[in-house]
């Protein structure tokens, strides 16, 4: 007889050897193949921003599939044109010099690969050879392909794949003095305004200001990776809006098409003006089906009432989590913004098991949550989560943490 788990499926061993097999979902909930229900505070790693089982998204995708499914980048379609135009306009919220074009791709890492290429080609054609250096920060996660991986300075992810992209450096996140290294030899600085995988730290206003000042001085492009923290997750469309950052390039992905693979790299006119035909491309990126669904995502998320509701629920969520912290010795700090939150745990260094035990226990109690870094529980409910679901989820988490917290 089948149970809810599958062991040793024919997936590569870089994944777990046991998976919970999920069958269907509705709103903030998913069901496994045995019929057990889970409150989903993982959202498929911050992807299903409008919840599961959306009939509007399914209807739009099905209609577009019947009409025209794929055209490649040799042609375009109305949904892709509409999406690119809307993202360019939406970029005005960042208060910088604005964006003039959008490269549509298929995943977060591809969005960052595109940003790396645009930054390098821009530096080459405006400053000449030898100005190709890239800087990223400790705790960053920019993706798994070799360019993005080179910007992701976590030893266990990078170590087996050396040599990585040359000319990539890492500096401590939020360290003002570390920015003094910047000079015209750098093409771009990549950063997550609010780090996801790294543990929910955000940039300080002073760091944003100094970074912008130096990058402006040396014509270094600032690339804001809003793949996890963007698209309304923090209560504003871009997290950068709240953090005083006006990036030159922005990358978006995860929730862009509500669970279908789609990414966007927003570039400014000064970059677009030096790019030539053939410098970059993709077969699937910005297809009509994913673009049509993304347009519906924007209809919902760009509504100011919707963003206000995320702000209100984000505040409630923060307060509920503070309540857990106050009564649970295992919890040290509440981190994050809006509906992308973290609970930093008091763990001994080298403790690699407690986080996993909490996540497994939460799952047994019917709550799906994530990890971030080495000691942070990451919580990313759908943006459509209800206040009562937030209360229910935090109650479940509180029970799990107080039970595990009492085990020596
Ligand atoms: C901030 C950030 N950038 C990039 C990525 C890579 O996205 P993908 O897994 O779609 O390639 C992720 C994925 O977790 C992410 O959180």
């Amino acid at each position: 007889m089948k149970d809810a788990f599958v062991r040793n499926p024919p997936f590569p061993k870089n994944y777990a050897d046991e998976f919970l097999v999920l069958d269907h979902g509705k709103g903030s909930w998913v069901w496994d193949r045995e019929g057990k229900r889970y409150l989903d505070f993982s959202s498929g790693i911050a992807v299903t921003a409008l919840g599961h089982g959306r009939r509007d998204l399914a209807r739009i995708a099905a209609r577009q599939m019947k009409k025209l499914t794929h055209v490649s980048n040799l042609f375009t379609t109305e949904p892709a044109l509409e999406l690119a135009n809307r993202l360019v306009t939406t970029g005005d919220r960042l208060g910088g010099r604005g964006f003039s074009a959008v490269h549509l791709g298929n995943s977060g890492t591809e969005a960052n690969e595109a940003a790396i290429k645009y930054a390098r080609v821009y530096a080459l054609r405006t400053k000449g050879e030898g100005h190709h250096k890239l800087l990223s920060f400790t705790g960053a996660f920019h993706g798994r392909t070799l360019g993005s991986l080179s910007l992701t300075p976590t030893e266990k992810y990078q170590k087996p794949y050396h040599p990585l992209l040359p000319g990539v450096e890492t500096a401590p996140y939020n360290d003002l003095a570390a920015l003094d290294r910047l000079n015209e030899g750098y093409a771009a600085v990549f950063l997550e305004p609010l780090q996801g995988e790294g543990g929910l730290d955000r940039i300080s206003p002073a760091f944003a200001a100094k970074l912008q000042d130096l990058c402006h001085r040396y014509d270094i492009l600032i690339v804001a990776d809003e793949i996890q923290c963007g698209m309304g997750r923090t209560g504003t469309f871009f997290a950068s809006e709240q953090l005083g950052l006006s990036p030159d390039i922005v990358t978006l992905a995860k929730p862009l098409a509500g669970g279908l693979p789609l990414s966007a790299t927003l570039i400014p006119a000064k970059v677009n003006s030096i790019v030539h035909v053939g410098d970059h491309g993709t077969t699937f990126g910005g297809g009509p089906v994913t673009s049509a669904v993304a347009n519906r995502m924007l209809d919902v998320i760009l509504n100011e009432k919707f963003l206000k509701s995320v702000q209100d629920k984000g505040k409630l969520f923060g307060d509920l989590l503070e309540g857990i912290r106050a009564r649970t010795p295992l919890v040290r700090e509440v981190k994050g913004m809006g509906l992308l939150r973290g609970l930093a745990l008091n763990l001994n260094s080298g403790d690699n098991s407690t986080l996993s035990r909490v996540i497994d226990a939460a799952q047994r109690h019917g709550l799906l949550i994530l990890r971030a870094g080495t000691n942070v529980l990451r919580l990313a409910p759908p943006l459509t989560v209800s206040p009562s679901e937030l209360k229910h989820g935090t109650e479940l988490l509180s029970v799990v943490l107080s039970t595990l917290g009492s085990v020596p």
Side-chain angles (χ1 to χ4, degrees):
M1 207 188 84
K2 280 186 182 171
D3 69 18
F5 291 87
V6 60
R7 284 164 203 93
N8 300 315
F11 300 143
K13 292 200 180 301
N14 49 290
Y15 290 113
D17 51 17
E18 183 178 89
F19 288 85
L20 177 63
V21 185
L22 295 175
D23 182 70
H24 61 282
K26 184 88 199 134
S28 307
W29 299 84
V30 287
W31 282 258
D32 69 26
R33 67 179 176 184
E34 286 283 273
K36 180 173 167 175
R37 184 172 90 136
Y38 305 82
L39 184 55
D40 187 5
F41 278 15
S42 70
S43 300
I45 321 188
V47 167
T48 49
L50 302 186
H52 297 281
R54 297 278 304 202
R55 286 177 184 274
D56 53 347
L57 303 186
R59 215 173 15 245
I60 288 164
R63 198 188 303 142
Q64 185 59 48
M65 277 197 82
K66 288 183 209 154
K67 194 175 172 199
L68 190 62
T69 303
H70 175 77
V71 298
S72 88
N73 62 19
L74 300 175
F75 308 94
T76 191
T77 61
E78 290 295 341
L81 285 171
E82 183 186 339
L83 178 62
N85 277 314
R86 291 176 78 180
L87 288 174
V88 163
T89 312
T90 305
D92 290 345
R93 292 170 179 245
L94 288 166
R97 275 155 292 164
F99 301 91
S100 76
V102 182
H103 169 76
L104 296 170
N106 306 285
S107 64
T109 199
E110 276 180 74
N112 287 331
E113 292 288 340
I116 293 169
K117 291 177 77 175
Y118 288 127
R120 285 214 162 158
V121 74
Y122 176 75
L124 179 71
R125 291 182 188 154
T126 57
K127 299 192 231 177
E129 282 191 13
H131 300 87
H132 58 267
K133 282 203 273 185
L134 304 172
L135 184 68
S136 69
F137 297 101
T138 48
F141 187 91
H142 295 298
R144 303 275 195 167
T145 51
L146 284 169
S148 306
L149 180 66
S150 306
L151 295 161
T152 299
T154 300
E155 204 194 341
K156 76 172 177 191
Y157 296 150
Q158 288 189 338
K159 203 172 173 192
Y161 302 110
H162 285 278
L164 296 168
L165 200 62
V168 179
E169 294 175 2
T170 310
Y173 193 59
N174 268 334
D175 181 338
L176 293 177
L179 296 177
D180 290 335
R181 77 181 66 201
L182 290 174
N183 57 46
E184 62 176 23
Y186 290 78
V189 175
F190 281 70
L191 77 164
E192 291 166 87
L194 169 64
Q195 292 190 332
E197 307 281 323
L200 287 311
D201 287 319
R202 70 179 87 165
I203 49 165
S204 70
F207 188 73
K210 181 163 180 181
L211 181 67
Q212 277 166 182
D213 185 38
L214 289 168
C215 288
H216 187 67
R217 189 179 312 162
Y218 299 116
D219 202 9
I220 302 166
L221 299 172
I222 299 179
V223 182
D225 177 340
E226 294 244 0
I227 287 164
Q228 184 156 166
C229 61
M231 292 218 40
R233 184 144 285 281
T234 64
T236 46
F237 189 83
F238 300 104
S240 297
E241 289 171 61
Q242 292 175 64
L243 296 171
L245 188 69
S246 295
D248 302 284
I249 294 182
V250 178
T251 54
L252 297 171
K254 289 178 178 287
L256 185 54
L260 298 182
L262 180 66
S263 66
T265 305
L266 281 62
I267 60 171
K270 70 176 182 180
V271 172
N272 201 27
S273 66
I274 56 82
V275 173
H276 303 160
V277 171
D279 279 339
H280 191 45
T282 164
T283 297
F284 287 112
V289 177
T290 50
S291 296
V293 172
N295 282 317
R296 171 66 187 156
M297 294 297 288
L298 292 183
D299 289 343
V300 176
I301 294 175
L302 283 170
N303 180 320
E304 289 306 326
K305 275 195 195 144
F306 182 85
L307 287 172
K308 174 75 171 59
S309 80
V310 176
Q311 287 161 25
D312 294 344
K313 289 185 290 189
K315 162 107 185 40
L316 170 68
F317 199 24
D319 292 346
L320 291 166
L321 293 170
E322 275 299 341
I324 294 186
R325 188 202 53 76
R327 60 181 181 270
T328 316
L330 183 61
V331 178
R332 179 166 52 79
E333 189 189 346
V334 179
K335 303 179 78 176
M337 295 162 70
L339 290 174
L340 183 56
R341 295 284 182 170
L343 287 182
L345 304 187
N346 283 313
L347 300 181
N348 296 327
S349 72
D351 177 346
N352 295 321
S353 68
T354 302
L355 265 190
S356 307
R357 284 196 300 133
V358 174
I359 292 166
D360 291 348
Q363 189 172 299
R364 284 196 298 280
H365 280 75
L367 177 70
L368 304 185
I369 57 174
L370 301 160
R371 66 189 304 149
T374 51
N375 69 336
V376 179
L377 296 172
R378 185 170 27 143
L379 309 161
L383 307 185
T384 47
V385 69
S386 69
S388 61
E389 287 167 342
L390 286 175
K391 284 180 197 146
H392 181 58
T394 41
E395 272 157 27
L396 289 174
L397 194 55
S398 180
V399 170
V400 167
L401 285 166
S402 50
T403 316
L404 280 183
S406 60
V407 175

